[in-house]
Amino acid sequence: MRAFVITGPGRAEVQEVEPPTPREGEVVVEVERAGVCGTDMEFYSGAMTYLHTGDARYPVRIGHEWAGIVREVGDGVDPAWLGRRVTGDTMLGCGRCARCGAGRQHLCAGRYEIGIRGGWPGALAERLPVPARALQPLPDAVDPTLGALVEPGGNALRAVRAADLAPGERLLVIGPGTIGLLAALIAAAQGVQVHLLGLAERSLDFARSLGFTRAWTTPPAEPFDAVIDASNGPDSPALAVDAVEPGRHVVFIGLSADPSLVDTRRLVLKDVTAVGVLSASGGLAGAAGLYASGQVDPRPLVAATVSLAEAAMVLAGERRPEWGTAPKIHIDPRLP
């Protein structure tokens, strides 16, 4: 089968590789759609932290935002999965440790991460092996585009839940990228008043095109009932703490390449609850349900769908003018 393989910093190619065979407890999915995110771009550039900690090494087969159809099942897997449209959890815990037993498999010390950690192959390929326990069935109303947005949507949903807001309350989302915009869409669907903060008017103009008229390069002075930092700016976490109303919640889901500093005295003196969100684990079903019901439609976030042969261009940050300013690019491995 064809798969996109990153062989080193700035080097990648579409290769013919052996198709996966399902092991016990696994299925093989025919990939319909896969999303490209900042983590994938860091693997391509060589900046990804896991490459320096030993949790990942080249060659890497990326792709953890995906949707597809179950085509094979291994021993011990219910054959009813065959032919079902699915997505799945990126985080694959060992299933034996205390964290996995407590439902925190996404924090398992020995976990694999699809397309990211431990060498588990990703979804920028025609077929993908996945443990059946990680599968999330997709409703009929969730097409391949929406299906590949369930994983980032699950991240965003967990961030919105952690913000702990009631309808009518004010939320500031720092960073109008894919996760920030998904969080904004989910919060708005719950009746929250959403404000977005970004650096570039180009990205803020796109946010305004989605109906978010409160989009700023400088936030209003009045404190917010919650702040979600979905940016990669090292100064954003401190800004989030400064911008939140005392006694409320700040949610950190973005990651900076450089250490970001927060004065814990501010957290204490404002009695702020700070929450970190890692992964969509626990949020996949909720995101799929929001899409299926029509409460949230994230399809405008997808600028284009391209082939595996065009993935390297996308990972290098190149964009065609006709794609516009939407933040997400999808890959369809079935395209020639």
Side-chain angles (χ1 to χ4, degrees), residues 163-258:
D164 193 26
L165 289 165
E169 292 190 311
R170 299 167 72 249
L171 168 67
L172 176 64
V173 178
I174 304 175
T178 298
I179 298 296
L181 290 171
L182 284 167
L185 288 167
I186 292 168
Q190 297 176 3
V192 172
Q193 184 189 111
V194 176
H195 297 246
L196 283 156
L197 181 67
L199 296 175
E201 282 294 339
R202 180 181 174 89
S203 60
L204 291 173
D205 282 342
F206 178 75
R208 294 181 187 111
S209 75
L210 299 176
F212 296 109
T213 57
R214 302 176 181 91
W216 322 101
T217 53
T218 302
E222 183 181 354
F224 292 86
D225 298 302
V227 181
I228 295 174
D229 177 17
S231 77
N232 58 6
D235 298 325
S236 296
L239 174 62
V241 174
D242 286 341
V244 74
E245 173 74 14
R248 302 306 297 268
H249 291 68
V250 172
V251 184
F252 300 113
I253 193 169
L255 288 173
S256 169
D258 299 314

Side-chain angles (χ1 to χ4, degrees), residues 237-239 241-242 252 260-270 272:
L239 174 62
V241 174
D242 286 341
F252 300 113
S260 50
L261 302 179
V262 174
D263 186 345
T264 58
R265 293 172 297 181
R266 295 285 288 160
L267 289 171
V268 172
L269 294 172
K270 295 183 71 172
V272 168

